[in-house]
Amino acid sequence: MSITVENLVKRYGAMTVVHGISFEVGRGEFVSLLGPSGCGKTTTLRCIAGLEDAAGGIIRIGDRIVSAPDQDILIPPHERQVGMVFQSYAIWPHMTVGENVGFPLSIRKVSAADVAKQVDEALGIVGLGPFKDRHPSQLSGGQQQRVALARAIVGRPKVLLFDEPLSNLDAKLREGTRVEIKRLQRKLDVAAVYVTHDQEEALSMSDRVIVMDGGRIEQAGTPKELYRSPVNRFVADFVGRASFIDVVRVEGGAGWRTPSGALIDVDDSSFNGAGTYQAMLRPEGIDIMEDANAGKPGRSLPGTISDSHYLGAYTEYVVDAGGAKVKVHSKRDFDVGSPVMLRFSPENCRLVSSPAGTGK
Amino acid sequence: MSDQTIGLSDVVIGKPASRRTGNTLLKCAYGATFIIVVAMVTIPIAALIYGSFRTAAPGMPAEWTLRNYEGLASPGVIATIGTTLWIGLLSSALCIVIGTAIALLVHRTDFKYGKVVTMLVGLAFYFPSFILAMAWIIIGAPGGIFNAVVDDMLGLSWLRIDIYTTMGIVLVMVLHQVPFVYLTMRGPIMGMDGIYEEAARTAGATPSRVITRITLPLLSYSLISSFILTFIITIEQFAIPALIGIPGQVNMLATQLYLLVRFSPTDYGLAAAIGVALSAMTGAAIWAQRRVSSAGRLTTVTGKASRLKPIPLGRWKWLAYILCFGFGFLALILPMTILIYTSVLKWFTANPFDGLYTIRNYAYIIESASTIRSFWNTLLVSGVGAAAGVLLGLMCAYFTLRLQPRGYRILDFFVSLPFGVPGIVLGLGLLWAYAYLPLPLYGTLALMIIAFVTRFLPYATETIGGQMVQIDKSLEEAAWVNGATPLEGVSKILLPLVRPSVQGAYFLLFMAFFREISSAILLYTASTAVVSISIWSFFEQANWGLASALSVVATLIIFVAMGLISRLVPAARQG
Ligand SMILES: Nc1ncnc2c1ncn2[C@@H]1O[C@H](COP(=O)(O)OP(=O)(O)OP(=O)(O)O)[C@@H](O)[C@H]1O
Ligand SMILES: [Mg+2]
């Protein structure tokens, strides 16, 4: 089943927190909602689940309209057949693991024998078979998380919804569970919406990522599209690390110039005339040369190393160049204060629009 | 550098001296608190037990005997125990259902008038039991208003009711105690993390199934605990079964005890044995309640603000209105209206168009020296008594929860003991005790204050202690590290932080003392009568008009004081 969201609007009193967003999640597709805290990710997810009443727009699950306040349609959550994993798991403390997982079935009047069979199966899938009769208080955080996962998939939901399910786990466990969630979703072949503010999680798990800010969608696309061709500075900054250099268009459109006057070659396929622009550089797409004269015109900038952070696999250098602080990753050692030359190819130097005033 | 060294040595020199004086003061306070509490609690209980083994009234020559306990097994007393249990269980069950339903409606659904209902229930909570019972007698007695309307005016004689029955007692008990259940269930319901219910909604449960499968089971320990507490206050309730049960010859243990002491043939020994038996019942119930609430604390309260969407009531809306406003009407509005009506009648009549109206009852209240004195007595007992009770409660909370010096567990035990002693039993114990003790306390207001403080000490201690445990010890320690003595730590850090609960406890005790009747009924004399006793006596003399007028005045004082206090000190409402 697919999920279609059209012009979804959500208000709390007079405050609008979701401003008419639209997106689609195809069958078997895994889509992440990514954005800073308070941008409306959870709210959007809860509107899909029916835990929150939308104020406008249409939400479809499969062919069925589940939310269309303009037509007075607001299907309650228990009729939407969703599976949802909550951030704090919400494992009912008065039920055993088996009863928790069996709840979506028994509440739909599935016979006891079938419930037992499917619960065993679901617990087997998440590797908690022997824990069936335990109480939630006797489980670790990671195990509780897997109970929540089993409970979400046991009722054969049409769609799966996740609200930061991994944020309470430690880094190691998080990686393992990512793989597991992905595997389950593939197996069930359902549409999944995954809310997170961890960009690494979003990039590694998703077929597509939707970047939100302030209740609006900034960009939607595959992880590669987002990383390589962000449409604006916000997306570029939020997805991965990036540095930005102010640029202005040379009269006649013959290239782009930094504040210091240097001409640089920029991939300006996203240029559409109006607005202010910056050139975005990813730290791994830049080479540092010791020889300050080794640069090719248009594809290099002279600078001075102003700071360095040793991170093991590489060192992150902050270089004053082109009137900005440019982050560069390199395996080689340089001293703070030494003059260097930064080299990059045009495909790693992309033009992004930047809202006036935030340019730096 | 050298400045610092001097500063440090100053502290080193200064500290031990001040700490020693602080400690001495605290030690004295601890000793005094310990002795006062232990004496206050043990004397009446010991005297009661002593009395239960004696053959004659307090102060009379008598011998040791087991006769009184044999008396407990007599058919009459057995029947009374049965009635007590039956009324206790039935009323508590009904209270739990109604009180929890109201709490769920107000806090979990889209019920519109939650604020109004909360206010009605809050007022009903402070509406004195004996006044409620009187009002319902005026309504439901064979010659009361209800029967006059349905039978004499409408000719529907099959609708006649009689309040002087077991069911009459249960009705008024329920009306009186539903607010208690509401108030005890409100916290757990509001504090519960909504995520459990949301998870059930997405798992396919309808709102009503969520309530039965998730909400109520998660509340089960709170429900059981609230049920037991309601059972306790029901079986130790005195005024309602006395006013309604005695005319109808439906006896509960508390009223039987009263009859044995107040009406001949008196039998103080058997009364004492009944008191012991009743205390044993409440004590056992309290023990069970403690077990339940400590064993079964499910961690459902995460402190995370829940965004739970209110459950739409839809077509059940009307049922919700009927339940909530029906309760408010029967427990508060109707009784108040009837009392006001009765208070301005010259002669009682059910038909307001036949009535001759007068304000002579109110005039009498102002002119009668004894009534005015009972008001002063009440203010004195409530004002001074509550202050004493709060001070003692504060000490007990501090010593048992904070300082924990040697023997604090003993203190803790004695502080909680009065929970298990019904008011009338406490009164009887004091009656026995002060017949022997060489203290000129009998017939003084001081004795009344002692009785009230003893009875409500656990409430004061719990209210203050509840807040004290939430104040991190490190706040005080930070003060010590910065040079404060323990005493200064208490006065500069702890006291200001627990002030809201101290105010709350004062409010609670003041209101409780103002309404208290069960422990006063055996202790009062003409000069120490309090308002509740005056109302009681007027009613016993069948002077409904005067009793009603005085009730109206007392109720208004209570409501006005409540309004004032909750406006002036918002924190006091937590109490
Ligand atoms: N019940 C509510 N009443 C009023 N405002 C609310 C309510 N719930 C959420 N909001 C507001 O809606 C906005 C979006 O909240 P939402 O929970 O969707 O953010 P989020 O993107 O999930 O953030 P986070 O990553 O911190 O979880 C926030 O500004 C929040 O303050
Ligand atoms: Mg969120």
Side-chain angles (χ1 to χ4, degrees):
Chain A
M1 290 278 178
S2 60
I3 303 171
T4 319
V5 177
E6 282 171 33
N7 293 318
L8 174 68
V9 176
K10 173 67 192 171
R11 293 191 194 94
Y12 288 111
M15 187 176 64
T16 306
V17 297
V18 176
H19 300 265
I21 64 172
S22 306
F23 60 90
E24 204 169 318
V25 186
R27 173 176 176 163
E29 196 181 16
F30 194 105
V31 170
S32 291
L33 296 180
L34 178 66
S37 185
C39 71
K41 308 178 294 284
T42 299
T43 307
T44 306
L45 195 76
R46 290 167 60 85
C47 286
I48 297 174
L51 293 171
E52 213 81 66
D53 290 342
I58 298 176
I59 300 174
R60 284 195 193 83
I61 294 180
D63 302 328
R64 186 176 182 208
I65 295 181
V66 293
S67 165
D70 299 335
Q71 304 164 41
D72 262 339
I73 301 177
L74 282 167
I75 306 292
H78 64 273
E79 290 171 16
R80 294 194 185 189
Q81 291 197 34
V82 299
M84 183 157 174
V85 180
F86 294 80
Q87 183 172 7
S88 53
Y89 315 143
I91 305 298
W92 300 301
H94 63 297
M95 298 181 187
T96 63
V97 167
E99 286 164 349
N100 262 284
V101 175
F103 186 89
L105 301 172
S106 63
I107 203 79
R108 296 191 172 104
K109 310 247 163 26
V110 175
S111 76
D114 280 351
V115 172
K117 208 178 105 223
Q118 294 187 44
V119 166
D120 285 339
E121 199 183 301
L123 283 175
I125 291 176
V126 298
L128 283 181
F131 293 84
K132 192 175 175 187
D133 296 318
R134 290 254 197 124
H135 277 277
S137 56
Q138 301 165 319
L139 296 182
S140 72
Q143 289 163 340
Q144 290 190 22
Q145 210 276 344
R146 279 184 279 160
V147 175
L149 210 52
R151 187 177 66 189
I153 59 170
V154 77
R156 310 246 167 252
K158 292 179 175 172
V159 299
L160 277 175
L161 307 175
F162 301 88
D163 188 0
E164 307 199 26
L166 306 184
S167 61
N168 288 340
L169 300 182
D170 67 53
K172 270 268 159 55
L173 209 50
R174 214 178 296 173
E175 241 156 76
T177 318
R178 266 188 215 169
V179 177
E180 188 152 340
I181 289 179
K182 202 58 231 252
R183 183 174 61 83
L184 283 175
Q185 185 260 343
R186 284 251 168 71
K187 194 169 153 183
L188 293 173
D189 197 27
V190 293
V193 181
Y194 188 99
V195 164
T196 178
H197 59 233
D198 180 338
Q199 44 121 348
E200 200 180 301
E201 213 167 276
L203 293 180
S204 69
M205 296 175 77
S206 322
D207 298 318
R208 279 190 307 132
V209 179
I210 295 171
V211 181
M212 292 179 67
D213 188 33
R216 295 193 168 81
I217 293 183
E218 295 288 333
Q219 188 174 3
T222 63
K224 282 181 188 153
E225 281 166 8
L226 286 183
Y227 192 82
R228 292 183 185 159
S229 0
V231 294
N232 57 26
R233 183 192 154 121
F234 176 82
V235 177
D237 205 14
F238 201 80
V239 181
R241 293 180 76 72
S243 314
F244 301 91
I245 299 172
D246 288 343
V247 287
V248 288
R249 199 149 186 248
V250 176
E251 308 278 311
W256 297 81
R257 197 190 293 281
T258 66
S260 59
L263 273 173
I264 52 174
D265 292 350
V266 179
D267 169 7
D268 58 2
S269 50
S270 64
F271 175 66
N272 63 5
T276 51
Y277 288 90
Q278 289 180 311
M280 174 201 78
L281 292 162
R282 295 286 186 198
E284 71 281 358
I286 308 172
D287 282 333
I288 304 190
M289 316 298 289
E290 275 162 0
D291 180 358
N293 299 317
K296 282 192 200 161
R299 301 184 172 198
S300 60
L301 280 173
T304 316
I305 295 186
S306 70
D307 210 350
S308 78
H309 310 281
Y310 180 64
L311 294 168
Y314 55 83
T315 306
E316 179 172 291
Y317 293 101
V318 181
V319 182
D320 286 329
K325 300 246 178 234
V326 179
K327 290 176 228 117
V328 186
H329 292 175
S330 172
K331 292 197 173 74
R332 296 164 54 197
D333 293 334
F334 297 94
D335 292 329
V336 171
S338 49
V340 290
M341 180 58 80
L342 300 182
R343 259 194 8 195
F344 46 87
S345 58
E347 52 269 26
N348 283 329
C349 179
R350 227 189 110 80
L351 195 70
V352 292
S353 73
S354 83
T358 62
K360 176 66 263 282
Chain B
M1 192 68 217
S2 67
D3 274 352
Q4 253 178 20
T5 330
I6 292 169
L8 274 177
S9 62
D10 257 5
V11 173
V12 171
I13 295 163
K15 201 94 191 188
S18 60
R19 188 160 268 170
R20 208 170 301 128
T21 47
N23 275 349
T24 324
L25 240 164
L26 279 178
K27 256 190 200 135
C28 292
Y30 179 57
T33 308
F34 199 100
I35 291 169
I36 291 174
V37 169
V38 171
M40 244 172 41
V41 176
T42 34
I43 287 174
I45 294 176
L48 183 78
I49 295 172
Y50 169 81
S52 71
F53 289 107
R54 303 295 287 176
T55 50
M60 299 291 149
E63 288 162 21
W64 293 101
T65 178
L66 282 175
R67 189 191 69 188
N68 298 320
Y69 285 94
E70 283 158 22
L72 286 183
S74 69
V77 178
I78 295 279
T80 304
I81 292 177
T83 312
T84 307
L85 289 176
W86 167 234
I87 291 178
L89 293 173
L90 183 62
S91 312
S92 313
L94 291 170
C95 285
I96 285 289
V97 172
I98 299 171
T100 310
I102 293 179
L104 285 173
L105 283 172
V106 170
H107 299 291
R108 273 288 192 265
T109 70
D110 61 353
F111 185 72
K112 277 208 207 79
Y113 304 102
K115 285 221 172 78
V116 182
V117 171
T118 309
M119 196 196 71
L120 280 177
V121 172
L123 287 176
F125 181 72
Y126 287 103
F127 197 45
S129 60
F130 57 94
I131 296 183
L132 181 70
M134 274 167 30
W136 272 96
I137 288 171
I138 298 173
I139 297 166
I145 290 176
F146 184 84
N147 290 324
V149 171
V150 297
D151 194 359
D152 307 348
M153 285 159 72
L154 302 175
L156 306 168
S157 56
W158 54 275
L159 262 178
R160 288 187 69 89
I161 56 165
D162 183 2
I163 195 84
Y164 296 130
T165 54
T166 307
M167 283 308 138
I169 297 180
V170 171
L171 170 75
V172 180
M173 284 284 195
V174 169
L175 291 176
H176 183 59
Q177 270 142 23
V178 160
F180 175 81
V181 173
Y182 170 81
L183 291 172
T184 49
M185 289 312 296
R186 185 172 68 156
I189 287 177
M190 284 170 41
M192 207 170 104
D193 193 340
I195 196 122
Y196 297 109
E197 284 157 290
E198 290 187 336
R201 296 283 283 130
T202 58
T206 59
S208 56
R209 302 291 296 277
V210 172
I211 297 268
T212 54
R213 295 273 308 259
I214 307 291
T215 317
L216 289 176
L218 284 177
L219 290 172
S220 60
Y221 286 100
S222 306
L223 283 169
I224 296 172
S225 160
S226 175
F227 176 85
I228 299 176
L229 289 176
T230 312
F231 176 77
I232 293 168
I233 57 177
T234 306
I235 64 172
E236 65 170 56
Q237 187 28 265
F238 167 71
I240 294 171
L243 286 169
I244 299 176
I246 293 175
Q249 294 179 341
V250 181
N251 283 335
M252 291 176 72
L253 283 173
T255 42
Q256 183 136 32
L257 185 157
Y258 172 72
L259 292 175
L260 284 169
V261 172
R262 268 296 147 105
F263 298 94
S264 59
T266 59
D267 188 342
Y268 280 82
L270 181 59
I274 287 179
V276 171
L278 183 54
S279 305
M281 278 165 67
T282 50
I286 285 164
W287 177 79
Q289 190 266 341
R290 292 265 151 113
R291 284 292 297 266
V292 167
S293 57
S294 68
R297 201 156 281 153
L298 295 174
T299 45
T300 57
V301 183
T302 55
K304 242 183 65 180
S306 74
R307 315 171 154 187
L308 216 53
K309 199 167 74 180
I311 301 171
L313 283 171
R315 59 207 158 89
W316 298 103
K317 199 167 67 184
W318 293 107
L319 210 64
Y321 287 154
I322 290 174
L323 181 73
C324 292
F325 289 110
F327 169 78
F329 179 73
L330 294 180
L332 193 69
I333 296 167
L334 179 66
M336 262 322 263
T337 312
I338 295 297
L339 287 175
I340 294 172
Y341 170 67
T342 313
S343 72
V344 294
L345 280 180
K346 217 166 205 153
W347 290 284
F348 182 74
T349 165
N351 186 343
F353 298 107
D354 286 351
L356 284 173
Y357 294 97
T358 172
I359 56 157
R360 70 172 181 198
N361 290 322
Y362 290 96
Y364 177 84
I365 293 176
I366 297 170
E367 285 156 16
S368 147
S370 67
T371 314
I372 293 296
R373 190 172 57 217
S374 76
F375 266 107
W376 281 120
N377 285 345
T378 307
L379 283 180
L380 201 69
V381 168
S382 307
V384 177
V390 166
L391 185 67
L392 208 54
L394 180 64
M395 296 286 210
C396 292
Y398 177 71
F399 290 127
T400 57
L401 294 170
R402 272 294 151 127
L403 207 59
Q404 307 198 324
R406 236 167 40 143
Y408 80 94
R409 279 173 206 283
I410 302 175
L411 180 65
D412 194 32
F413 172 75
F414 276 100
V415 168
S416 62
L417 214 50
F419 255 141
V421 183
I424 186 131
V425 178
L426 186 71
L428 180 63
L430 288 170
L431 209 59
W432 272 100
Y434 289 96
Y436 295 97
L437 287 180
L439 292 172
L441 280 176
Y442 187 75
T444 64
L445 281 178
L447 182 61
M448 208 76 94
I449 291 180
I450 290 177
F452 290 5
V453 169
T454 310
R455 182 152 148 69
F456 290 97
L457 181 61
Y459 296 84
T461 312
E462 293 246 318
T463 306
I464 299 170
Q467 188 169 41
M468 213 181 267
V469 292
Q470 287 172 5
I471 293 165
D472 195 11
K473 183 103 175 107
S474 65
L475 291 177
E476 253 178 293
E477 287 166 351
W480 299 344
V481 172
N482 286 305
T485 63
L487 212 57
E488 282 168 345
V490 171
S491 66
K492 296 223 163 78
I493 308 293
L494 193 62
L495 276 184
L497 287 174
V498 295
R499 209 182 73 186
S501 70
V502 171
Q503 288 167 341
Y506 187 83
F507 175 61
L508 190 79
L509 288 205
F510 188 93
M511 287 301 181
F513 290 6
F514 203 98
R515 293 172 296 160
E516 174 65 2
I517 191 160
S518 60
S519 54
I521 194 83
L522 294 179
L523 295 176
Y524 77 92
T525 60
S527 65
T528 62
V530 284
V531 172
S532 53
I533 298 287
S534 300
I535 296 174
W536 180 275
S537 326
F538 286 136
F539 198 76
E540 274 196 328
Q541 297 154 20
N543 196 338
W544 286 8
L546 215 45
S548 300
L550 205 51
S551 299
V552 170
V553 174
T555 309
L556 284 182
I557 292 179
I558 289 177
F559 287 176
V560 167
M562 214 178 106
L564 273 182
I565 292 176
S566 57
R567 179 119 337 146
L568 295 178
V569 246
R573 261 173 297 173
Q574 294 165 355

